[in-house]
Amino acid sequence: MNKVLHLKSRPNGLPKATDFEIIEQQIPVNNLGELLLKSIYISVDPYLRGKMSKTYSPPFELNEPVASKVVARVIDSKNESFTAGDYVIGYLNWAEYQLSNGTGLSKIDNHDASLSAYLGVLGTTGLSAYFALLDIGKPKPGDTLVVSGAAGAVGSIAGQIGKISGCRVIGIAGTDEKTELLKSKFGFDDAINYKTTPDINAAIKAVCPNGVDVYFDNVGGEISDAVINNLNNNARIAVCGSISNYNDTETQIGPRLLPLVVYKRLSIRGFLIADYADKFTEGVSQLTAWLKDGKLTYSETVMEGFDQLPEAFIGLFEGRNEGKMIVKV
Ligand code: NAP
């Protein structure tokens, strides 16, 4: 039998396990020209929360599979471009087994990196850190870089690329274990636990006495208000995401920061990683070289078993991951 995970109801606020349903079906029969794939690693990502709401375009449909980046093995191939035993990555359904005509699938191997790395450090999250920090953040030696969501998949890589670029790097994360990890494993110069720090604005001022030149923002909300308050003239903000708002049921109202943008000549730019698609080969090859040289390292939180998908996804909003959250099927 095959398991497929459907969206059963649109989450209201924080997603619940009951918003999802695992359906048991027969393993699909492979037809001419198609591939039968078996999922090995499934990526759970904060942006999927948006696709579970009706307002996102296009949203996931109710009683249809959720989908994301998946590493799979070809079990049977009637498509001449692939052979049984190939490993592939693509945007696929949350299913143990599925058919594909091969469109959008790329072959990967585990010679240069583990297969799961293609969902993290060598995938969308590593590439987001690489392109957004270098292209939008424009870090220079001697700059002070602050990264929010610093112990997550994007943040942990962005901070290390900041170090490679010669910056002093400060991370913001939600537990003492994470702030320790940022310093001991990822080489951050200092870190702030936003959940135990009553005045984040003062804490940033204390660890960044010369102000902040680059802000890599994964979380938005009050953390970003505090960092923006501490930016220097001509500072750059790479806006990667706003996870602190993804479960909001009402629009948050914060301080009006635009006068600061004028006064301090700030540059704020958002991006979607797909904007850099024509440069992915360059990004993967640089990230791979840094991994091989020992200049870059990464963490993964791997939850075991297809049935863990809802918990792994909900866990992103509760900070249960260090580095990339992945489900091993
Ligand atoms: P991640 O950081 O690995 O996981 C999410 C982390 O967010 C959690 O571990 C948690 O860590 C933190 N978090 C959850 N709720 C929070 C809150 N209310 N306030 C502050 N922190 C909170 O996820 P990721 O895949 O690397 O994604 C990071 C951000 O980048 C997300 O906003 C995502 O949407 C965005 N993103 C954007 C693009 C793009 O193309 N623009 C591509 C990839 C990702 P703590 O324990 O520290 O709270």
Side-chain angles (χ1 to χ4, degrees):
M1 292 298 282
N2 184 24
K3 286 183 181 173
V4 183
L5 189 136
H6 282 187
L7 181 66
K8 195 174 165 204
S9 50
R10 299 201 181 279
N12 181 23
L14 184 70
K16 303 182 294 300
T18 49
D19 293 325
F20 306 95
E21 185 174 29
I22 292 177
I23 308 290
E24 298 220 347
Q25 303 172 336
Q26 294 293 328
I27 293 174
V29 177
N30 195 8
N31 295 319
L32 201 65
E34 291 197 312
L35 307 168
L36 176 63
L37 302 176
K38 183 177 194 306
S39 299
I40 299 175
Y41 292 108
I42 299 181
S43 179
V44 292
D45 300 274
Y47 81 95
L48 299 172
R49 174 65 183 84
K51 285 179 71 71
M52 291 171 192
S53 297
K54 228 190 338 210
T55 45
Y56 196 95
S57 174
F60 292 129
E61 296 299 336
L62 289 181
N63 303 311
E64 294 288 338
V66 174
S68 68
K69 281 284 175 76
V70 175
V71 169
R73 190 154 61 91
V74 177
I75 299 293
D76 180 46
S77 175
K78 296 189 168 52
N79 178 320
E80 59 187 22
S81 303
F82 298 88
T83 45
D86 283 346
Y87 291 106
V88 295
I89 184 168
Y91 187 78
L92 294 165
N93 288 339
W94 285 11
E96 288 181 317
Y97 295 88
Q98 61 199 292
L99 296 176
S100 163
N101 64 10
T103 307
L105 295 184
S106 308
K107 286 191 210 178
I108 54 172
D109 60 45
N110 54 3
H111 294 149
D112 285 337
S114 66
L115 292 172
S116 57
Y118 291 90
L119 297 178
V121 63
L122 299 180
T124 308
T125 54
L127 290 167
S128 294
Y130 176 78
F131 288 115
L133 181 66
L134 296 183
D135 186 36
I136 303 174
K138 301 193 191 318
K140 298 188 303 297
D143 278 352
T144 296
L145 163 69
V146 173
V147 181
S148 60
V154 176
S156 58
I157 305 300
Q160 291 179 82
I161 298 173
K163 288 306 297 177
I164 292 169
S165 306
C167 298
R168 181 163 180 271
V169 181
I170 312 299
I172 303 176
T175 66
D176 288 345
E177 289 72 24
K178 289 184 181 185
T179 55
E180 271 318 301
L181 187 81
L182 290 176
K183 292 184 274 186
S184 60
K185 177 168 179 175
F186 297 120
F188 285 51
D189 296 284
D190 218 328
I192 296 168
N193 177 346
Y194 72 91
K195 287 191 180 159
T196 56
T197 302
D199 186 343
I200 301 174
N201 187 48
I204 294 167
K205 213 175 280 301
V207 292
C208 305
N210 298 322
V212 178
D213 303 294
V214 185
Y215 176 38
F216 192 103
D217 186 13
N218 287 306
V219 307
E222 290 176 7
I223 292 173
S224 295
D225 296 342
V227 180
I228 291 169
N229 229 6
N230 284 283
L231 291 176
N232 289 329
N233 287 350
N234 301 304
R236 288 81 64 199
I237 310 176
V239 186
C240 180
S242 299
I243 193 169
S244 73
N245 300 123
Y246 292 175
N247 293 309
D248 285 353
T249 49
E250 284 171 22
T251 305
Q252 298 273 325
I253 306 294
R256 312 289 180 184
L257 293 169
L258 287 182
L260 271 187
V261 175
V262 177
Y263 176 63
K264 294 189 173 181
R265 296 82 148 181
L266 305 178
S267 301
I268 305 180
R269 211 176 105 199
F271 74 100
L272 289 176
I273 188 56
D275 303 342
Y276 294 97
D278 59 345
K279 292 184 174 172
F280 280 0
T281 311
E282 169 210 313
V284 171
S285 96
Q286 179 61 81
L287 291 163
T288 305
W290 282 334
L291 286 172
K292 280 188 179 159
D293 293 349
K295 290 184 175 162
L296 189 66
T297 187
Y298 63 97
S299 285
E300 293 172 342
T301 299
V302 181
M303 293 182 69
E304 301 255 350
F306 185 84
D307 295 8
Q308 292 297 311
L309 276 164
E311 279 309 308
F313 175 64
I314 294 164
L316 291 171
F317 301 99
E318 297 172 339
R320 279 193 258 151
N321 59 309
E322 283 177 359
K324 181 74 188 98
M325 182 74 106
I326 294 170
V327 171
K328 184 174 186 200
V329 178

